[in-house]
Amino acid sequence: MASNRRHIAILTNPRSLSTALEFSFKSRDDTAVIHELYGARHWFGTEGPPEILPHLPKTKGYTFAEVKQRLANDQQETPITVWKETSVTFPLDKEFYPKHYTPIFLIRDPRYSIMSYRKLCLAFTDGKRENVPYGGGFIQLRKIYDWITKEVCPDPVVIDAHELSRHPKEILTAVCEKIGIEFKDSMLHWKQNNNDHWDPVWKCLAMKAYTNVMQSQGFIPKEEQEDIEFPESIRDSIMAAIPIYESLYAKLDDGSRVGTGISHHISDIGAGAIAKQTTVPSSTLSSQSRGERSKKPTEKCLQYALETRQRERNRLTSQLRNGMKRILRSLDE
C-alpha cells in the first residue's frame, strides 16, 4: 500500500443518499470505490444473514476478519480509494476500522431516513415486517463517531444529505478541500446503473433497494414533505434519533452550510422526550430562490414528543407509587 495514496471512508445511517455520494466519487478518474463490505457480510456472509431476508444467498469471503483484511490490504491502482459503509451493519468494534481511512460522516433527518428504511423493509418482506433498528442507525453512528474522533480523526467531515442534494458543488468543493483532494466537476454527474464496482453479491438487491439512485445521473434536490403521518411503530425510534442527528448536524463545517435558510433547535420538553423545533434543513444560494421553510415546530413531531413525555410520566408515577407501597409495607412490618 503506497504511502502517497489516499483512503476515504463514507460512514452513514441508512437511507441517507450515501449511494449517490458513492457514485459521485466513482465519477472521478482518479478514484476507486468499495461498496459496503461489512454490509455484504451482514446480508450475505456465511456467519449468518438476518432473519428478515433469509432467502438471500450465503457467500464465502465475507467474515469480519476477511473484510478487515481486504480493507487493510487495498490493492487498487488509483490514487484515491473511497469505501462506503452504513452504521447498522458496521461492527461496533474499533479494531475493524482501518485507521488509514479519512472519515466522512453523512447524516439525514431521521424523520425521513427512518420512514424510507421502513418502506424498504416492507418492500422486501411483502409488507409483513418493518424491522427498522431502533434509532434508524443513529445510535450506532454516534458510537462510531465518538471513537473515531478520539482515535482516528478529531475533526471529521460531517455532511447533511438534504444540503448535499440541493447544493452538491458548493458542499463537495468544501469537503474535498478539507480532506485534501481536488474537487472535480465530474463528481456532479454519473451514468445510470453506475454500480459496476459492486461485489456481485449486491446485484440481487440493486434494483429493489437502490431503484432511484440507479436511475439517477446526478444529485436530485430533496424536497422533504413536512406533514407526514408517522406510523406508531417508528415514532419512538424517530424521537430517539433526533437528538443524535442534531448533535451531529452541529458538527457541520461552514462550507457545508450553504445559504441562510437553516434553523435547527431542540426543545427538551420532559424526561426522555425531544421536540423538533424546526423543519428539515433548508438551504439556498440567493434570496430570490430561498423559499425558506417554516421555522415553527412541526406539529406532528411535537405531538409525538408530548405522547412520549406522557408515557414517561406514567412510568415514573407508577414507579413512585410502587416505591411508596413497599415503604408502607415495611413500616407495617
Side-chain angles (χ1 to χ4, degrees):
M1 183 171 58
S3 60
N4 61 342
R5 295 194 63 240
R6 298 301 310 279
H7 293 79
I8 300 164
I10 299 171
L11 305 170
T12 181
N13 61 294
R15 314 305 290 178
S16 295
L17 312 186
S18 61
T19 306
L21 183 57
E22 174 187 325
F23 286 179
S24 172
F25 275 101
K26 184 177 181 292
S27 296
R28 300 173 59 102
D29 59 9
D30 60 354
T31 302
V33 177
I34 301 172
H35 177 80
E36 297 188 31
L37 293 184
Y38 285 117
R41 187 221 69 87
H42 180 79
W43 298 111
F44 308 103
T46 54
E47 292 176 332
E51 294 181 359
I52 185 174
L53 299 175
H55 60 283
L56 293 180
K58 292 185 178 182
T59 306
K60 294 182 179 180
Y62 292 102
T63 64
F64 278 130
E66 288 168 321
V67 171
K68 176 185 176 182
Q69 186 70 15
R70 183 170 164 185
L71 290 170
N73 298 330
D74 169 40
Q75 299 297 317
Q76 305 290 346
E77 297 180 355
T78 54
I80 301 171
T81 293
V82 173
W83 156 55
K84 190 258 284 190
E85 206 72 58
T86 63
S87 59
V88 294
T89 56
F90 189 88
L92 296 181
D93 188 328
K94 57 189 177 184
E95 76 165 282
F96 291 106
Y97 183 85
K99 292 187 178 181
H100 57 292
Y101 278 78
T102 300
I104 294 175
F105 286 86
L106 176 65
I107 57 175
R108 184 185 180 193
D109 189 308
R111 291 178 293 169
Y112 307 106
S113 62
I114 291 177
M115 279 287 284
S116 178
Y117 202 166
R118 174 181 180 270
K119 181 179 178 181
L120 180 65
C121 290
L122 289 172
F124 270 102
T125 60
D126 297 323
K128 297 176 182 178
R129 298 181 64 180
E130 295 181 5
N131 215 59
V132 178
Y134 183 73
F138 272 97
I139 296 172
Q140 298 91 326
L141 190 64
R142 182 70 213 203
K143 291 180 179 178
I144 297 169
Y145 179 90
D146 287 344
W147 59 253
I148 280 184
T149 53
K150 290 179 181 178
E151 303 198 18
V152 180
C153 178
D155 185 27
V157 173
V158 180
I159 308 173
D160 181 76
H162 180 85
E163 301 295 325
L164 176 63
S165 76
R166 293 174 65 84
H167 306 295
K169 183 172 184 178
E170 291 79 4
I171 290 177
L172 290 174
T173 298
V175 168
C176 288
E177 180 180 359
K178 181 164 184 179
I179 63 178
I181 64 174
E182 178 188 1
F183 168 76
K184 296 194 175 189
D185 284 327
S186 61
M187 298 179 72
L188 303 177
H189 307 284
W190 52 82
K191 64 181 181 180
Q192 289 183 328
N193 301 315
N194 193 32
N195 69 330
D196 53 8
H197 60 290
W198 289 8
D199 281 19
V201 292
W202 285 106
K203 301 297 183 179
C204 65
L205 297 181
M207 293 313 297
K208 198 163 188 178
Y210 302 92
T211 304
N212 292 336
V213 72
M214 292 293 288
Q215 296 174 353
S216 70
Q217 294 179 292
F219 290 98
I220 301 173
K222 299 295 291 184
E223 297 294 343
E224 311 283 26
Q225 181 182 348
E226 288 299 332
D227 296 325
I228 298 178
E229 281 289 342
F230 299 112
E232 178 70 30
S233 58
I234 61 172
R235 292 181 188 179
D236 288 347
S237 188
I238 291 173
M239 299 311 298
I242 284 175
I244 304 174
Y245 166 71
E246 292 284 354
S247 68
L248 292 174
Y249 187 90
K251 307 292 185 181
L252 262 66
D253 296 311
D254 290 340
S256 298
R257 300 175 187 268
V258 183
T260 58
I262 304 172
S263 177
H264 269 57
H265 306 283
I266 300 176
S267 175
D268 185 352
I269 60 172
I274 303 295
K276 183 83 166 174
Q277 295 296 323
T278 184
T279 60
V280 179
S282 174
S283 294
T284 57
L285 292 176
S286 67
S287 58
Q288 287 81 6
S289 63
R290 180 163 297 165
E292 186 173 328
R293 300 185 182 197
S294 169
K295 297 180 182 178
K296 295 180 180 180
T298 303
E299 182 177 350
K300 294 294 182 182
C301 280
L302 286 177
Q303 175 186 340
Y304 302 153
L306 289 170
E307 291 174 356
T308 303
R309 181 181 67 176
Q310 186 60 50
R311 286 195 295 271
E312 182 70 7
R313 180 181 295 166
N314 292 343
R315 184 183 68 82
L316 293 174
T317 300
S318 177
Q319 288 182 347
L320 179 61
R321 185 181 296 112
N322 291 336
M324 291 299 296
K325 288 180 178 177
R326 286 194 294 272
I327 292 173
L328 292 175
R329 282 197 299 269
S330 65
L331 292 175
D332 290 340
E333 294 172 356

